[in-house]
Structure formats: C-alpha cells, structure tokens
Amino acid sequence: MDSQDIYWYDPWFNIPFNLTTVFTTTVACLIVFLISVIGARKLAMRPTGLQNFIEWVIDFVRGIIKANMDWKTGGRFIVLAYALLFYMFVANMMGIPFELVTSDSNHYVIWRSPTSDPILALTMAAFVIVLTHIYGIKMTGVSGYLKGYVQPVWVLLPFKIIEEVSNFLTLGMRLFGNIFAKEVLLILLVTLGTLGFNYGVFQGVGLGIVTLLPTMAWQAFSIFIGSIQAYIFAMLAMVYMAHKVEQH
C-alpha cells in the first residue's frame, strides 16, 4: 500500500511542513516531558516507581558522559544527554505497535515513528553538531577551538573539516536508516498477513496466523533496534561534545 505524509505549505514562501512528523514529534516530546515531570514531582530519599526509573536513566546517562569526558566538564551536559536518550527511545518506539494510515485513496500517514523521517533525523544530528561547536567556542575560546582543527599538524585541517561533515551524516543517516527499515518490514509483514482476506475469510485467517509469529519476532527485535539507536545517538553526541570541549 502506497502511503504519504501530510504536508502543509506556508502561503508566503511555499515551504513544506510535514504535519505527520510535527504531530508525532510533539507527542514524543509530551511523553518525555510528562514522565519526567511526574517522576520528579514528589522526590523521596527512597525512590519508588517512576522516580526510580528516572534516577536509573540519569545514572545511565551519567555513565555515558563519564566514559567520554571528565565529569567536571561533562556534568553540565547531563540534561542534554538525558533528553536526547529519552526522546530518541520514545520516538523510535512509537511506530512499533502500529502505523495509522487513512482509509481514503490518498493513504495519508497519521502515526509512525518520527525518526523514520530523514529530515527529522538529520535535523537532530545537525542540532547536536551545532551545539558541539557552540560549546567548543564557549569553553575553549575561539583560539582553542580553531587550534583543534590544526592539531597535531596543520595538514590535518581538510580531514578535520571532512570529519565534521561525516559526523553529521553518519549520526543522522544511521538513525534514519535503522528506524525506517524497521517500520518498512513491519508494514510488509502486516500487509502480507491481511492480504489473504482479499480471497476469503479462511485464507485471510490462515495467512494471518502464518505471519503472526514473524511479526511478533520482528516487533521484539525492533524494540532492541530502537533502544540501541537511542543509546548510540546519545553516546555519539557526548563523544563529539568531548572532542570540542576538552583540550587534548
């Protein structure tokens, strides 16, 4: 089944806005915000329930930062790393249970993982890369920041520039490629499972039973993929940040 996202074009410059991605991204942000606020609303010395989960995530993020830079320098990025990890996890999980598509001839997509959109994935990567440059200049000064491009020898300058571009592309395209492939295969399995109903109820039920097991197995594996990609994104964000804010 061919499906398409919902777009809105602004009347002044005719710039397209992907409303499907805007909607699902907003939902993902609200989920992260509400869980974080509710979990930290009534803090206790002996955490239970949601507070215990939030503290576990923070400890996990603290470990990521400490693995890449000194805590005195990296401690200020714990909120950033927490937000990136939590948001990416929620966004990657959103398309696993189902994808919602309108039943009309246009087949507009209403619900899916927002990170399966290459524009969003690359935008998040650009956001991280730009932040590394901002904090690099802020914490090492302009001279220290520029010196990083010519150390240990100046001939590395073009390679350092290429590295910046490759960091941006690999960070965004890795996320997009894995999540997009995950959802495409889920759609294919569900489509195959419902295809038999075109030939009769018994054929449909039979084909649905046959495809049920691989669909459930792929959904379980998709949870693993989404979790790993969220971890990799947050980890690489801190790796790139460490390269900019710490003088070597």
Side-chain angles (χ1 to χ4, degrees):
M1 179 178 65
D2 295 329
S3 57
Q4 57 182 325
D5 291 346
I6 305 172
Y7 283 89
W8 175 78
Y9 295 83
D10 80 275
W12 298 281
F13 303 101
N14 202 36
I15 300 175
F17 290 86
N18 190 325
L19 297 185
T20 302
T21 300
V22 171
F23 171 68
T24 52
T25 299
T26 303
V27 172
C29 291
L30 285 174
I31 292 174
V32 173
F33 175 77
L34 290 175
I35 291 177
S36 300
V37 170
I38 295 173
R41 184 175 55 179
K42 295 181 179 180
L43 298 179
M45 292 299 296
R46 294 184 178 181
T48 58
L50 201 54
Q51 181 187 341
N52 196 37
F53 169 74
I54 297 297
E55 292 194 6
W56 176 83
V57 176
I58 292 176
D59 286 338
F60 184 76
V61 168
R62 186 181 290 111
I64 293 177
I65 295 174
K66 286 183 176 180
N68 291 285
M69 65 187 96
D70 180 75
W71 179 248
K72 185 177 180 181
T73 302
R76 70 194 67 199
F77 303 117
I78 191 168
V79 175
L80 172 64
Y82 170 84
L84 288 175
L85 179 68
F86 205 173
Y87 168 78
M88 285 298 170
F89 176 78
V90 172
N92 293 347
M93 296 296 118
M94 287 176 62
I96 291 177
F98 52 81
E99 177 181 281
L100 289 180
V101 182
T102 59
S103 59
D104 57 18
S105 59
N106 293 315
H107 300 308
Y108 287 122
V109 178
I110 302 175
W111 182 272
R112 58 163 171 75
S113 292
T115 43
S116 64
D117 183 351
I119 302 300
L120 176 70
L122 289 172
T123 300
M124 292 297 297
F127 167 75
V128 168
I129 299 300
V130 170
L131 273 183
T132 62
H133 290 288
I134 292 174
Y135 276 99
I137 296 173
K138 179 180 179 181
M139 298 180 65
T140 64
V142 176
S143 60
Y145 168 79
L146 295 177
K147 191 183 299 181
Y149 283 94
V150 294
Q151 289 180 338
V153 289
W154 66 269
V155 294
L156 292 178
L157 176 61
F159 298 99
K160 292 291 184 73
I161 296 174
I162 294 174
E163 181 185 22
E164 296 296 332
V165 178
S166 65
N167 287 345
F168 159 66
L169 291 177
T170 55
L171 187 62
M173 295 308 295
R174 179 191 292 108
L175 175 66
F176 159 69
N178 282 276
I179 305 305
F180 179 75
K182 163 185 73 71
E183 301 212 341
V184 166
L185 188 52
L186 279 175
I187 293 171
L188 290 176
L189 287 171
V190 172
T191 302
L192 179 63
T194 58
L195 188 62
F197 286 99
N198 295 332
Y199 305 98
V201 176
F202 291 105
Q203 292 87 340
V205 172
L207 191 57
I209 293 174
V210 170
T211 57
L212 179 62
L213 186 59
T215 300
M216 293 178 63
W218 183 249
Q219 282 184 317
F221 187 63
S222 295
I223 295 175
F224 172 76
I225 293 175
S227 302
I228 288 297
Q229 289 306 310
Y231 168 75
I232 290 175
F233 194 94
M235 170 66 81
L236 289 179
M238 293 301 102
V239 169
Y240 298 155
M241 187 67 75
H243 289 169
K244 296 297 182 185
V245 301
E246 287 192 333
Q247 295 282 6
H248 298 285

